[in-house]
């Protein structure tokens, strides 16, 4: 008994892998969020495997599906299943039933958005979609701010403005953000600027969005770094951070978050302290 999660293109259909196509052809059935959407993908590549709907509204069908078939492929509408879709619940059930579970490597939206942002990638928080209730959303954003890490979230066009305003209230209007829209599609766009500039730019948002926020240490409210100070060299950064009262581990942490290699950050922090 075998369940294979198959990543599907988030834009350009040529992003699919040869192995993904092989699994889609070999499986007895392709479970998916939208049979029309996945059906178009299969038709494009000449694959005749039958499809069956399995989304957040039809998860009760999952057990019967696994009892009926021996080899099931699961595909979300776009990207890697299990990230902000029912794939994770299907995997949990399959494991409980003793199935072999595989996840193929392939397209996902948050990785290219994170890398192209230009922000630190060694440590980051992927949040998926934020809670819809205002109180829960603000509490979650506050915890993301306090994490001191690069933050990555998904957002729909009709909630983009609301989310940018919510982040601005916690991170500050001048906080750096990169926003990737329609990744790998014809109208792909990468915006880089402040949260305030993003609000002014996306007046009539369309498409799917990935927001990447720089660590809180870069906005002038945590360690005191801002977009302008990032142009300083490492020695100058030490002086700026010390002027904001950072010492020891906190100083090392802020330097690393600003892009300084950890070993160099440690030497600079302790070296400067000894000579003053």
């Amino acid at each position: 008994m075998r369940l294979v999660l198959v990543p599907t293109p988030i834009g350009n259909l040529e992003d699919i892998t040869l192995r993904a196509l092989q699994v889609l052809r070999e499986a007895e059935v392709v479970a998916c969020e939208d049979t029309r959407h996945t059906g178009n993908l299969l038709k494009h590549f000449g694959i005749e495997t039958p499809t069956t709907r399995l989304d957040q509204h039809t998860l009760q069908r999952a057990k019967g599906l696994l009892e009926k078939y021996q080899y099931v492929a699961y595909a979300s509408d776009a990207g890697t299943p299990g990230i902000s879709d029912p794939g994770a619940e299907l995997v949990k059930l399959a494991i409980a039933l003793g199935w072999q579970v595989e996840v193929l490597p392939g397209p996902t939206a948050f990785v290219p958005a994170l890398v192209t942002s230009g922000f630190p990638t060694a440590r980051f928080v992927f949040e998926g979609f934020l809670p819809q209730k205002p109180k829960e959303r603000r509490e979650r954003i506050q915890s993301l701010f306090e994490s001191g890490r690069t933050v990555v979230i998904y957002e729909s066009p009709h909630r983009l403005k609301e989310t940018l305003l919510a982040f601005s209230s916690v991170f500050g209007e001048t906080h750096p953000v990169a926003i990737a829209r329609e990744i790998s599609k014809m109208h792909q766009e990468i915006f880089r600027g402040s949260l305030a500039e993003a609000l002014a730019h996306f007046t009539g948002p369309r498409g799917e969005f990935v927001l990447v926020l720089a660590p809180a240490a870069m906005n002038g409210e945590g360690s005191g770094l801002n977009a302008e100070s990032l142009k300083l060299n490492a020695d100058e950064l030490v002086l700026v951070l010390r002027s904001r009262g950072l010492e020891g581990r906190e100083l090392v942490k802020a330097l690393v978050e600003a892009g300084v290699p950890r070993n160099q950050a440690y030497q600079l922090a302790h070296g400067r302290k000894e000579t003053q």
Side-chain angles (χ1 to χ4, degrees):
M1 299 178 293
R2 184 183 180 195
L3 169 66
V4 183
L5 274 64
V6 181
T8 55
I10 58 177
N12 192 319
L13 293 182
E14 299 305 313
D15 290 339
I16 200 164
T17 67
L18 295 176
R19 189 175 172 206
L21 293 175
Q22 179 184 357
V23 170
L24 292 173
R25 289 192 179 96
E26 293 177 347
E28 295 176 71
V29 65
V30 177
C32 51
E33 291 183 284
D34 187 327
T35 55
R36 292 169 299 178
H37 184 92
T38 302
N40 289 334
L41 174 69
L42 299 181
K43 182 178 179 180
H44 178 83
F45 289 104
I47 298 173
E48 300 180 353
T49 307
T51 60
T52 185
R53 182 183 175 194
L54 189 67
D55 59 11
Q56 60 181 345
H57 305 294
T58 57
L59 269 175
Q60 70 275 8
R61 301 177 183 175
K63 186 175 181 180
L65 178 72
L66 296 181
E67 290 174 345
K68 182 177 180 181
Y69 298 99
Q70 298 293 307
Y71 186 179
V72 176
Y74 179 75
S76 58
D77 284 348
T80 299
I83 304 296
S84 300
D85 66 42
E89 292 299 319
L90 182 60
V91 168
K92 183 178 179 180
L93 176 60
I95 292 174
L97 294 175
W99 276 53
Q100 175 187 350
V101 177
E102 300 175 46
V103 181
L104 302 186
T108 187
F110 79 84
V111 172
L114 170 64
V115 175
T116 198
S117 72
F119 301 143
T121 59
R123 299 191 310 155
F124 65 90
V125 180
F126 173 66
E127 185 64 24
F129 289 95
L130 292 173
Q132 294 190 23
K133 294 182 179 180
K135 183 176 183 295
E136 293 179 9
R137 185 169 61 247
R138 182 175 178 82
E139 290 176 351
R140 187 71 54 83
I141 292 175
Q142 182 63 40
S143 70
L144 293 173
F145 176 83
E146 294 171 358
S147 74
R149 301 186 179 191
T150 300
V151 175
V152 186
I153 70 162
Y154 289 157
E155 194 50 276
S156 60
H158 70 274
R159 291 210 316 166
L160 180 64
K161 181 178 180 180
E162 177 186 353
T163 297
L164 289 172
L165 286 170
F167 271 110
S168 295
S169 69
V170 177
F171 282 68
E173 293 183 348
T174 61
H175 189 81
V177 63
I179 301 178
R181 182 179 74 89
E182 298 290 86
I183 295 174
S184 189
K185 298 179 182 178
M186 181 181 296
H187 300 293
Q188 174 176 301
E189 176 184 7
I190 307 296
F191 169 88
R192 299 181 183 88
S194 68
L195 286 168
E197 290 169 339
L199 274 167
H201 179 78
F202 293 104
T203 55
R206 294 181 179 181
E208 300 300 322
F209 293 82
V210 184
L211 279 64
V212 185
L213 289 96
M218 292 186 180
N219 74 349
E221 296 182 33
S223 66
L225 288 176
N226 53 38
E228 188 65 29
S229 68
L230 293 177
K231 299 176 183 178
L232 303 174
N233 63 37
D235 288 330
E236 293 169 328
L237 279 175
V238 173
L239 296 177
V240 171
L241 292 169
R242 283 191 183 283
S243 72
R244 301 299 178 93
L246 294 184
E247 296 287 351
R249 291 181 179 178
E250 291 301 316
L251 178 55
V252 173
K253 177 182 176 182
L255 286 168
V256 171
E257 289 172 346
V260 178
R262 181 169 295 278
N263 288 341
Q264 183 185 2
Y266 183 87
Q267 293 172 0
L268 284 169
H270 292 276
R272 285 283 181 179
K273 186 175 182 179
E274 292 173 359
T275 58
Q276 290 183 345

